């Protein structure tokens, strides 16, 4: 039936019908894919809140990440905006009053012109040479499909805007639009177009909605230790919104550039990992369709999977070495424009390997065993934690029951190198007159290592026992020099009933210097670069206080190419040093080379792991100093200067000595 | 293949908290790998079973052994001061085990490590000490085992079952702990045989690592000689007889025992 009121041109009317059927096809394919998501575990999702928040999440939060690459942002705005806008408007042209208006078709032509420009940009990015981080395969034909559809539809709309002046052009153009459009629609369930609908769904039902509301939201989700299966073995063990997240991936490869394990040639590529997880949700799955960069030095796997088949193992999709290469630095999560939670997926998979199978890397097992029986991964006596402070006054909180500041020493206290840092910190606290105390032999490991290695049972036990210890004492805040302990105490103990105000030593020292309780002299001419610890910068967003503090010391501060929340890991997190998965290079060597490239003579660190990893780099390199050590040097420099002035003043007031 | 593993109530060397004994966890691994090897690719439990035995008042801390690959643990409930030997002998005697594995000594410190010998004598089983590897033997009903000798030497033996074997710390490291496996594992409590030990004050002291003994001959000698004594196989004055007639072997052993003063005429 032909609607009342003539459409602009027959070709334009056909275009609207074509788009209607393509939309139907795309919806059917999307529904087929969405049905696969339902193998996942059910999870409570706030649909209404998510749907209402979608525009803001997409236009602000996603754009904020995409916009770090301005070309990609413009490309995506044109291609996606033009494609969706033009197609939507052309669909509405089926309403006779709209479809008959030539001006309306001019607007449609304009929208498709935008899509065409976007399509050309997509092509320019991939041809003549495709950057290594982008995937090939179906992605390489995407620009042709986009430009064909956009150009064809644009010409049809243009003809309609002119009132059908170019019929010889309109019909071939329609054919072009059909070919391009069909290609795009067929890419909806497996190809690049999947990210469009999966990505939108992911933003609505994101597992960490707090990320869109200004929270860092980086604490791991506690595991119910009474659940029938602990952790994730098969795709059906993931919650539905996690599976949607894997499908949201557009394989842009920003994660693989950011990943320290990938850079070191260890067999981890976050992009490939997400693709393997996404591929595994369909029955008789294989990993052959992936056409991006592989896992470096990939270990052989069978590459087969399915919703109820194991994900990890040489006979499955992902080799265990891939899983254990991760340092949990969250660089991939920080870079991901689709807000995918790679680290959560890795920890879920590790939990199953550790808790159910006991399939840890050989060297990761002994520290966990020591943690179980000695509360300390090195199996050392808890009372020996304070040995670093021999000769210093280190008040025990058990003596008085209270202190203004509780100093949490952490694992670093056992190491000779980091002991120097803690000595500097303790000296500074005494100098500033801070009322502080330590737990001494009552301090157990915070459980960070156990948790990142998937041993949630040990973590929860340690958390509960530490919380019980802390409950016995009164203090206003906890001070620590270990960002891993800081993250556990501040963010992860909350779920177990421990809410504390936790402050990092760089923030406290900054406070003390700013408040005049520490007088610092200038450390002249020293060029310093600051290496952000992942668990302080990315996990807790604290990137300013350490920098402010360094500036107060009169140092020339240079920034590395990767700094702040986009800093690169030292390789010391996530149990990576104990898992020790073989690669081609060492992560700290790469990071140290970046530090040396700034021309700095000192790398300032603020974490025992970073300190150990970077100080382990051999050869000609900048010095590694914790910020506490630099502050102590500055305080001593200030004192020396004051003493010199004193002497000078006395000299001036003394009567001149008679000359012989 | 039915394997029993003896577990003792250990303590962590530094923290002093209850903890499984490493060498017994290594025994669990040896047992599992032996069964897996005998079954080919079939699931471990199909070709045999592994049962842990502990005689003592509290099996709580030993539950962790279930997480290291032990499927079933039987606690023989006895008093803290009771001798575990009669309970273990009764339990092991009642069921037919092909192989009984034990640690060479519980904590590896000043422990006597006598229990396996006493048990072997009570049960009438042959005992082989210090195994560091187990494999299926050449004939049915035998196992081939590697015995760890001082200074890294190894001796391969074929042993006819049933037998009792103690495990040496040089055996492969324990299987990593799996929390869910501990949760799944079966813990059964049975009444043990009350066997009060002769009253005597037992002194408890903190654990300390056994000091490394320096060969007496080298004590006080030059550094070179001490190094030599510590690194080269010490000649203990014995005699190596390869494939001797049983009578010759017995005569040689008796002669040696007389010489070192163990046997007196």
């Amino acid at each position: 039936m032909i609607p009342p009121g003539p459409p602009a041109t027959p070709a334009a009317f056909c275009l609207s019908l074509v788009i209607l059927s393509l939309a139907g096809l795309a919806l059917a394919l999307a529904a087929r894919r969405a049905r696969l998501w339902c193998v996942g575990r059910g999870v409570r999702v706030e649909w209404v809140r998510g749907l209402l928040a979608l525009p803001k999440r997409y236009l602000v939060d996603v754009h904020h990440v995409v916009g770090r690459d301005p070309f990609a942002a413009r490309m995506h705005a044109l291609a996606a905006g033009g494609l969706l806008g033009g197609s939507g408007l052309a669909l509405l042209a089926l309403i006779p009053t709209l479809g008959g208006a030539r001006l309306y078709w001019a607007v449609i032509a304009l929208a498709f012109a935008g899509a065409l420009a976007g399509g050309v940009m997509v092509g320019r990015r991939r041809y003549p040479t495709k950057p290594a981080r982008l995937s090939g395969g179906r992605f390489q034909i995407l620009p042709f499909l986009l430009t064909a559809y956009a150009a064809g539809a644009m010409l049809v709309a243009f003809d309609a805007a002119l009132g059908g002046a170019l019929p010889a052009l309109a019909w071939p153009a329609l054919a072009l639009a059909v070919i391009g459009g069909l290609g795009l629609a067929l890419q909806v369930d497996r190809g690049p177009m999947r990210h469009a609908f999966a990505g939108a769904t992911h933003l609505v039902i994101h597992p960490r909605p707090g990320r869109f509301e200004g929270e860092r939201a980086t604490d791991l989700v506690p595991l119910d230790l009474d659940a029938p299966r602990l952790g994730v073995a098969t795709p059906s063990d993931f919650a539905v919104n996690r599976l949607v997240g894997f499908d949201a991936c557009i394989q842009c490869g920003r994660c693989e550039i950011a990943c320290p394990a990938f850079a070191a040639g260890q067999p981890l590529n976050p992009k490939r990992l997400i693709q393997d997880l996404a591929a595994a949700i369909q029955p008789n799955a294989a990993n052959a369709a992936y056409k991006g960069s592989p896992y470096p030095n990939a270990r052989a796997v069978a590459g087969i999977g399915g919703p109820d088949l194991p994900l990890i193992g040489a006979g499955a999709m992902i080799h265990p070495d891939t899983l254990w290469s991760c340092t949990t630095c969250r660089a991939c999560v920080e870079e991901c424009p689709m807000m995918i939670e790679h680290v959560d997926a890795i920890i879920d998979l590790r939990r199953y390997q550790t808790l159910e199978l006991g399939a840890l890397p050989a060297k990761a097992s002994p520290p966990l065993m020591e943690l179980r029986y000695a509360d300390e991964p090195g199996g050392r006596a808890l009372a020996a934690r304070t040995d670093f402070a021999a000769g210093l006054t280190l008040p025990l909180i058990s003596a008085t029951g209270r202190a203004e500041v509780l100093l949490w020493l952490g694992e670093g206290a056992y190491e000779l190198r980091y002991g120097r840092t803690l000595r500097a910190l303790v000296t500074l606290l005494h100098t500033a007159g801070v009322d502080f105390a330590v737990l001494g032999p009552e301090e157990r490991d915070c459980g960070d290592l156990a948790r990142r290695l998937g041993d949630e049972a040990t973590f929860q036990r340690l958390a509960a026992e530490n919380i019980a210890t802390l409950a016995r004492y009164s203090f206003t805040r906890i001070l620590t020099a270990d960002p891993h302990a800081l993250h556990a105490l501040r963010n992860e103990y909350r779920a177990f009933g421990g809410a504390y105000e936790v402050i990092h030593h760089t923030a406290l020292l900054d406070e003390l210097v700013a408040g005049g309780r520490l007088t610092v002299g200038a450390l002249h001419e020293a060029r310093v670069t600051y290496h952000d610890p992942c668990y302080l910068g990315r996990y807790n967003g604290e990137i300013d206080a350490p920098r402010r503090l360094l500036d107060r010391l009169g140092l020339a501060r240079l920034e590395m190419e990767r700094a702040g929340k986009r800093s690169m890991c030292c390789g010391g997190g996530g149990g990576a040093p104990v898992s020790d998965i073989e690669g081609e290079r060492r992560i700290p060597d790469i990071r140290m080379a970046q530090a040396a490239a700034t021309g700095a003579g000192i790398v300032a660190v603020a974490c025992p792991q970073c300190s150990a990893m970077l100080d382990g780099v051999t050869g000609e390199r900048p010095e590694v100093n914790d910020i506490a050590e630099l502050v102590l040097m500055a305080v001593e420099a200030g004192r020396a200067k004051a003493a010199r002035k004193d002497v000078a003043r006395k000299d001036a007031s003394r009567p001149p000595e008679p000359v012989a | 293949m039915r394997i029993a593993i003896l577990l003792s109530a250990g303590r962590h060397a530094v923290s002093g908290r209850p903890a499984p004994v490493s060498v017994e966890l290594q025994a669990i691994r040896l047992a599992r790998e032996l069964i897996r090897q005998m079954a080919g690719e079939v699931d471990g439990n199909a070709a045999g079973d592994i049962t842990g035995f502990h005689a003592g008042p509290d099996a709580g801390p030993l539950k962790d052994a279930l997480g290291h690959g032990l499927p079933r643990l039987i606690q023989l409930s006895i008093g803290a001061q009771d001798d575990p030997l009669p309970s273990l002998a009764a339990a092991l005697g009642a069921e037919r085990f092909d192989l009984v594995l034990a640690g060479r000594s519980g904590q590896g410190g000043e422990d006597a490590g006598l229990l396996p010998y006493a048990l072997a004598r009570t049960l009438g089983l042959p005992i082989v000490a210090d195994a560091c590897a187990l494999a299926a033997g050449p004939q049915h009903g035998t196992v081939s085992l590697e015995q760890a000798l001082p200074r890294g030497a190894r001796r391969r033996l074929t042993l006819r079952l049933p037998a009792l074997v103690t495990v040496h710390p040089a055996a492969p490291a324990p299987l990593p702990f799996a929390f869910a496996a501990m949760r799944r594992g079966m813990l059964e409590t049975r009444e043990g045989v009350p066997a009060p030990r002769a009253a005597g004050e037992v002194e408890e002291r903190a654990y300390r690592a056994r000091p490394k003994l320096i060969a007496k001959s080298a004590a006080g000698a030059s550094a070179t000689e001490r190094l030599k004594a510590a690194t080269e196989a010490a000649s203990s004055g014995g005699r190596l007889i390869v494939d001797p007639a049983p009578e010759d072997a017995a005569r040689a052993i008796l002669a040696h025992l007389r010489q070192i003063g163990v046997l007196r005429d």
Side-chain angles (χ1 to χ4, degrees):
Chain A
M1 196 188 82
I2 295 185
T9 62
F13 182 62
C14 287
L15 178 70
S16 297
L17 289 180
V18 163
I19 291 176
L20 184 64
S21 33
L22 287 177
L25 177 65
L27 270 179
L29 287 174
R32 194 172 78 176
R33 187 71 192 178
R35 232 185 38 229
L36 290 176
W37 295 339
C38 297
V39 301
R41 268 189 313 106
V43 65
R44 269 200 52 197
V45 171
E46 296 184 59
W47 279 98
V48 178
R49 181 169 156 223
L51 276 170
L52 289 177
L54 177 62
K56 185 251 162 190
R57 289 179 182 179
Y58 178 67
L59 294 172
V60 178
D61 298 296
V62 169
H63 178 76
H64 176 74
V65 184
V66 180
R68 289 175 196 161
D69 177 356
F71 180 87
R74 279 196 293 275
M75 174 193 87
H76 193 265
L78 284 169
L83 193 75
L84 289 176
S87 305
L89 292 174
L91 263 182
L92 289 179
L94 287 172
I95 300 168
T97 41
L98 286 178
R102 283 167 59 179
L103 185 66
Y104 186 70
W105 282 100
V107 172
I108 296 176
L110 202 65
F112 277 117
L116 179 62
V120 170
M121 287 173 87
V122 174
R124 228 185 72 196
R125 193 161 76 136
R126 295 181 168 270
Y127 292 97
T129 42
K130 175 180 77 66
R133 71 178 170 97
L134 296 176
S135 291
R138 287 161 186 253
F139 284 85
Q140 282 301 81
I141 57 166
L142 182 67
F144 299 109
L145 298 176
L146 272 174
T147 45
Y149 176 67
M154 180 188 75
L155 289 175
V156 173
F158 183 59
D159 170 55
L162 295 180
L166 311 159
L169 187 67
W171 290 108
L174 181 66
L176 190 64
V178 170
I179 295 170
L182 200 62
L184 288 176
L186 287 176
Q187 286 203 340
V188 159
D189 74 335
R190 288 188 204 170
M193 296 308 287
R194 183 170 77 197
H195 94 286
F197 81 98
T201 318
H202 178 55
L203 290 179
V204 172
I205 60 173
H206 196 280
R208 291 181 181 277
R211 280 185 71 189
F212 305 104
E213 284 145 28
E215 294 169 24
R216 292 305 296 163
T218 48
D219 51 317
L220 290 177
V221 183
L223 182 69
D224 174 14
L225 291 175
D226 296 321
R229 179 181 270 182
L230 303 173
V232 168
T234 69
S236 58
D237 294 330
F238 275 117
V240 174
N241 52 1
R242 303 277 173 185
L243 294 179
V244 176
F246 305 147
D247 270 2
C249 175
I250 182 61
Q251 305 193 28
C252 67
R254 293 178 190 215
C255 51
E256 80 175 44
I257 292 179
C259 178
F262 183 84
Q266 289 173 289
L268 172 61
N269 175 350
K271 175 169 100 170
R272 166 111 228 215
L273 177 81
I274 294 300
Q275 284 311 309
D276 282 346
L277 292 173
I281 72 170
Q282 60 197 34
N284 306 315
N287 63 359
Y290 177 78
K291 292 286 182 286
S293 28
Y295 296 121
N297 301 304
R299 325 296 200 229
V301 288
I304 47 174
D308 293 307
L309 291 178
L311 284 162
I312 304 297
M317 292 294 266
I318 300 162
H319 195 276
D321 282 4
T322 297
L323 201 58
W324 299 106
S325 295
C326 177
T327 66
T328 69
C329 74
R330 267 183 94 84
C332 48
V333 183
E334 187 68 27
E335 294 299 319
C336 181
M338 291 314 302
M339 310 272 174
I340 299 170
E341 293 283 346
H342 312 63
V343 175
D344 284 352
I346 286 176
I347 296 294
D348 278 343
L349 290 164
R350 282 187 181 181
R351 283 174 173 171
Y352 181 80
Q353 298 295 308
T354 302
L355 295 173
E356 290 277 354
L357 303 181
L360 284 98
K363 287 182 220 165
S365 176
L368 291 183
M369 189 141 168
E370 298 293 359
L371 269 176
R372 265 199 308 287
Y373 304 116
D375 296 335
E376 202 286 309
R380 293 161 290 203
L382 295 182
R385 197 189 296 272
T386 49
D387 285 1
F388 75 91
L392 291 177
T393 317
L394 199 59
L396 285 179
I397 198 164
S398 53
T400 53
R402 61 152 306 284
E404 177 75 19
V405 169
L406 176 73
L407 174 60
W408 187 275
L409 295 170
E411 273 319 283
Y414 288 99
E415 283 165 35
L416 286 175
R417 172 68 188 85
Y418 207 71
R420 293 216 304 271
T421 300
L422 288 174
R423 286 179 70 88
L425 179 60
V426 168
T427 310
L428 288 170
L429 292 176
H430 282 305
T431 310
V434 176
D435 169 26
F436 77 101
V438 297
L439 285 172
E442 290 181 281
E443 178 184 326
R444 296 175 168 86
D445 184 75
C446 67
D448 168 75
L449 178 73
R451 192 166 222 203
R452 311 297 144 186
L453 286 173
D455 188 353
E456 182 75 1
T458 300
F459 169 76
Q460 290 192 8
R461 182 184 64 79
L462 289 169
E465 292 181 4
N466 278 324
I467 288 169
T469 304
L470 292 171
R472 289 205 307 274
Y473 299 113
S474 119
F475 50 86
T476 17
R477 47 188 183 171
I478 300 177
L479 167 69
T480 181
D482 182 348
H484 296 261
L486 173 125
H487 179 62
L489 291 165
R490 179 192 281 172
N491 303 318
E492 299 197 328
Y493 278 18
R494 205 172 290 273
F496 303 96
Y500 311 107
E501 188 189 334
V502 189
I503 183 170
H504 190 245
H505 72 306
T506 53
L508 182 80
L509 291 175
D510 181 47
E511 234 177 75
L512 295 174
V513 174
R517 289 172 72 183
L518 281 177
T519 321
V520 291
L523 295 175
H524 291 296
E525 290 157 44
R527 287 145 70 87
V528 63
T529 185
Y530 174 60
H531 164 77
D532 288 270
C534 306
Y535 277 71
L536 190 65
R538 245 190 311 277
Y539 274 75
N540 284 285
E542 292 189 21
I543 53 174
D544 297 327
R547 290 185 164 76
R548 234 177 7 239
L549 182 57
L550 285 174
D551 292 345
R552 291 188 207 281
L553 306 184
L555 293 160
R557 181 163 57 80
L558 305 161
E559 285 293 354
M560 283 186 255
E561 197 184 311
R562 291 181 57 183
K565 287 178 194 161
R566 301 181 72 189
S567 171
M568 185 180 161
C569 177
C570 68
V578 291
S579 300
D580 200 19
I581 302 298
E582 198 190 332
E584 288 163 8
R585 290 166 289 277
R586 293 178 69 249
I587 297 172
D589 290 353
I590 301 173
R591 186 58 173 164
M592 188 53 96
Q594 294 171 358
T598 62
I602 299 173
V603 186
V605 293
C607 166
Q609 313 271 10
C610 302
S611 172
M613 296 305 281
L614 294 178
D615 225 10
V617 174
T618 55
E620 192 86 356
R621 61 160 171 82
E623 284 291 300
V624 176
N625 279 120
D626 191 277
I627 292 189
E629 293 170 345
L630 295 174
V631 175
L632 182 63
M633 277 185 229
V635 166
E636 280 166 356
R639 224 179 264 152
K641 205 172 142 198
R644 269 200 308 277
K645 254 189 214 151
D646 249 21
V647 172
R649 207 178 312 122
K650 273 184 202 149
D651 281 351
S653 58
R654 207 181 298 160
E657 281 176 33
V659 181
Chain B
M1 182 75 150
R2 304 195 62 208
I3 303 180
I5 295 171
L6 307 186
L7 298 168
S8 52
R11 284 183 178 276
H12 188 271
V14 174
S15 73
R17 290 220 309 256
V21 175
S22 175
V23 76
E24 293 166 359
L25 300 179
Q26 291 172 291
I28 297 175
R29 178 173 185 168
L30 286 183
R32 278 183 66 112
E33 282 170 5
L34 177 63
I35 283 183
R36 186 172 311 136
Q37 191 204 351
M38 289 182 140
E41 290 305 303
V42 193
D43 180 66
N45 291 339
D49 69 286
I50 306 173
T51 313
F53 283 93
H54 169 68
D58 177 21
L62 285 160
K63 271 197 81 173
D64 282 6
L66 298 170
H68 286 278
L70 183 71
R72 183 162 160 249
L73 172 62
I74 295 175
Q75 180 213 356
L76 307 165
S77 181
I78 54 171
Q81 300 304 320
D82 282 3
D83 183 2
L85 180 63
S87 302
L88 289 172
L92 293 175
E95 297 179 59
R96 265 193 55 83
F97 286 100
D98 301 298
L99 185 61
V100 180
L101 293 178
R104 76 199 297 257
S105 59
Q107 206 73 27
E110 307 272 345
D111 294 10
L114 268 181
L115 179 83
Y117 292 91
L119 191 62
R121 187 173 58 188
T122 314
L123 294 174
L125 292 177
I127 180 166
V128 174
D130 293 350
C132 60
L134 283 178
Q139 296 136 32
H140 184 74
T142 61
V143 287
S144 149
L145 66 85
E146 254 175 49
Q147 201 179 22
L149 301 177
R151 293 166 209 273
R154 296 287 183 270
R155 174 160 54 199
R156 186 163 294 135
L157 303 171
T158 301
L159 181 65
R160 181 157 296 284
L161 300 177
L164 197 154
V165 171
T166 68
V167 175
H168 190 270
L175 293 171
F177 176 77
F179 177 80
M182 179 198 71
R183 219 173 45 164
R184 277 193 300 271
M186 281 184 295
L187 175 63
E188 191 186 324
T189 304
R190 293 182 192 165
E191 271 311 305
V193 181
R197 258 189 279 235
E201 280 301 299
V202 177
E203 185 196 0
E204 273 195 16
R205 259 181 274 158
Y207 168 85
R208 73 184 172 89
R210 189 196 287 258
K212 203 172 162 74
L213 297 176
I214 298 173
K216 264 210 189 88
S217 60
S222 75
T224 328
E225 279 162 349
R226 285 202 307 276
L227 181 69
K228 224 168 138 187
T231 50
E232 283 181 2
S235 164
S236 54
R239 199 151 56 92
L240 185 66
I241 315 177
V242 179
D243 204 9
E247 292 79 8
D248 293 346
R251 226 169 273 130
I253 291 169
L254 284 172
H256 179 69
L257 292 177
R258 278 197 189 93
Q259 192 192 334
I260 62 173
V262 173
L263 279 186
R264 290 196 193 101
D265 304 286

